[in-house]
Amino acid sequence: MIRNNNNYKEMLKNLNNKFGKVNAVLANEYIKVYPETAEEHRDMQKFCREEKIEFYVIRPLSERPFKIVMKGLHRETDIEEIKSELAIALPEIEILKVGQLKNVRTKSPMDIFMIELKKNGHENKIFELTHFMFLKIKIQNYRKPPGATQCWNCNMFNHSSANCGFQTRCLKCGEDHRTNQCPITTPQENPKCINCGATGHIASWRGCPLFPKIKPTKGQGVNYPKAQREFLASQYRRQENISYSMQTQKLIPRQVELNSRQESEFNPQTGSREIGHEKEFLGFLEGAKVMYDTLKSIPNLIKTISELPMLEKTEDMFNHLIKALGTVANSVSNVQ
């Protein structure tokens, strides 16, 4: 990746004169150059450094180190001692780098060590280690923290210092030295960002306009099936004059119940609306009251019904009830 500046034509001309026809593609503020061989890749890097052409390298997956973390060692363990002991325990692996991770906030060292191994076909053997340096340990794959990678050499993004061909820039003062070599050792009251040029923050501040924002990746969150998503959307659709918190806590009826309540009739006797089975039940009670009043006006019929439980046979019960009903019919015809 070569920086796209005003003299990019001259720069590409020099590359073509040196290496023949170069495959180059424009990519926003950079120009991607694709070498054909590994040897040409190394020669291009050397040429760019000699000609002071700023670039950074995107290493292929096969050439990137195999990274793991080792947990369980004492935080005071010496890194060189870890390298030598690993070389004895697993002579098949090739150790490139060992580093100790630090707490992001306190900057204090943790009992977690990151180890970079060369991919030689034996790197997975390190997972066979369960005890190391007389302690029980745990080996895990290294998981890169979310967000963009910031180079320690130039303090720009999306590449590491090992693959950087840009000019060195200090995060604090912007001079051509590493940040850990800067003579400024105390926090600055009003620092200047070496990337955006604004004052009040440094280039590693995530609120900087030029700091890459984290984009959601595919698969984040709960991926419900389509039918279930539609069901959830219909169940929790916002209703008028109802807060979202009330609806999600199920303190109110759903829309179907609200519609049925709006279509119900108002009962002046009870002073409330009657819906569904409530209305039907009240109608049954009114009918029972009318029947009771009718029976109350005929004492002989009520007496006959109260005597039915004393009869043993069902046939006797029917005969006794029919006899009483005949008496009632006669009394009603006499009244008319």
Side-chain angles (χ1 to χ4, degrees):
M1 299 288 286
I2 298 176
R3 186 192 290 276
N4 180 14
N5 49 32
N6 295 330
N7 63 338
Y8 75 94
K9 291 182 180 180
E10 187 69 23
M11 177 181 59
L12 291 176
K13 182 180 178 180
N14 293 335
L15 285 173
N16 280 270
N17 292 336
K18 178 69 174 179
F19 301 98
K21 188 177 181 179
V22 175
N23 186 12
V25 179
L26 185 65
N28 297 325
E29 67 270 20
Y30 295 99
I31 297 175
K32 287 185 177 180
V33 179
Y34 298 91
E36 294 183 357
T37 63
E39 183 180 359
E40 187 179 63
H41 187 267
R42 290 190 294 268
D43 292 340
M44 278 191 179
Q45 292 184 55
K46 183 180 179 181
F47 177 79
C48 288
R49 295 182 196 279
E50 293 174 352
E51 298 296 322
K52 300 187 182 303
I53 299 175
E54 293 187 314
F55 70 98
Y56 71 86
V57 177
I58 301 177
R59 299 173 69 179
L61 291 175
S62 59
E63 296 183 7
R64 297 179 189 178
F66 183 75
K67 297 182 180 181
I68 59 97
V69 290
M70 181 182 291
K71 300 179 180 180
L73 291 181
H74 195 278
R75 65 186 61 188
E76 301 295 334
T77 306
D78 183 67
I79 289 177
E80 295 300 325
E81 188 178 1
I82 296 176
K83 288 183 180 180
S84 59
E85 291 293 332
L86 272 178
I88 297 173
L90 296 172
E92 304 93 343
I93 65 174
E94 186 174 346
I95 305 168
L96 299 178
K97 182 181 178 182
V98 177
Q100 188 173 14
L101 302 186
K102 295 183 179 180
N103 187 288
V104 177
R105 294 183 179 179
T106 62
K107 306 299 181 183
S108 58
M110 299 187 297
D111 55 351
I112 303 176
F113 295 85
M114 186 184 72
I115 302 173
E116 295 184 8
L117 306 175
K118 186 177 181 179
K119 293 180 180 178
N120 60 359
H122 302 286
E123 62 274 4
N124 285 317
K125 287 189 174 182
I126 196 167
F127 291 104
E128 298 175 1
L129 282 180
T130 57
H131 292 77
F132 184 66
M133 297 180 70
F134 309 105
L135 291 171
K136 186 177 181 180
I137 61 167
K138 190 173 183 180
I139 305 291
Q140 294 178 338
N141 284 309
Y142 173 74
R143 291 183 294 178
K144 179 181 173 295
T149 300
Q150 188 168 15
C151 176
W152 291 351
N153 179 63
C154 65
N155 283 292
M156 289 190 285
F157 304 97
N158 300 318
H159 66 276
S160 64
S161 58
N163 304 316
C164 182
F166 290 104
Q167 182 179 354
T168 304
R169 297 188 308 164
C170 175
L171 190 68
K172 299 177 182 178
C173 64
E175 298 296 331
D176 56 351
H177 57 255
R178 291 285 185 98
T179 304
N180 57 2
Q181 299 173 351
C182 184
I184 301 175
T185 57
T186 57
Q188 297 173 282
E189 293 183 1
N190 197 22
K192 184 177 181 180
C193 178
I194 61 175
N195 284 339
C196 70
T199 56
H201 68 268
I202 57 177
S204 60
W205 181 52
R206 293 184 179 272
C208 176
L210 296 184
F211 197 100
K213 303 299 183 291
I214 300 177
K215 298 180 180 179
T217 58
K218 184 178 180 181
Q220 285 185 339
V222 181
N223 188 17
Y224 291 110
K226 182 179 180 181
Q228 191 172 359
R229 291 198 304 269
E230 292 176 353
F231 169 78
L232 293 173
S234 63
Q235 289 292 301
Y236 294 97
R237 187 174 290 113
R238 179 75 159 78
Q239 301 177 14
E240 294 182 0
N241 301 324
I242 297 169
S243 67
Y244 180 80
S245 60
M246 290 178 62
Q247 186 166 342
T248 54
Q249 293 174 12
K250 300 182 179 180
L251 298 178
I252 60 169
R254 297 296 180 198
Q255 191 65 39
V256 176
E257 298 175 348
L258 292 176
N259 292 339
S260 63
R261 178 173 293 182
Q262 292 172 359
E263 296 173 358
S264 63
E265 297 179 357
F266 181 77
N267 189 340
Q269 295 180 356
T270 60
S272 62
R273 292 185 179 273
E274 302 162 4
I275 58 174
H277 61 276
E278 295 179 0
K279 182 179 179 181
E280 183 179 353
F281 181 71
L282 290 175
F284 171 77
L285 291 179
E286 291 178 0
K289 185 176 183 300
V290 172
M291 185 179 294
Y292 177 76
D293 292 340
T294 303
L295 294 175
K296 190 176 180 182
S297 63
I298 310 174
N300 291 336
L301 185 58
I302 296 177
K303 181 181 178 183
T304 301
I305 294 174
S306 64
E307 292 173 351
L308 291 178
M310 293 184 293
L311 300 175
E312 296 180 357
K313 297 182 179 180
T314 305
E315 183 178 356
D316 295 338
M317 292 182 184
F318 276 112
N319 292 333
H320 189 64
L321 185 58
I322 291 172
K323 183 179 179 181
L325 291 174
T327 304
V328 172
N330 293 332
S331 63
V332 171
S333 62
N334 293 332
V335 171
Q336 293 178 346

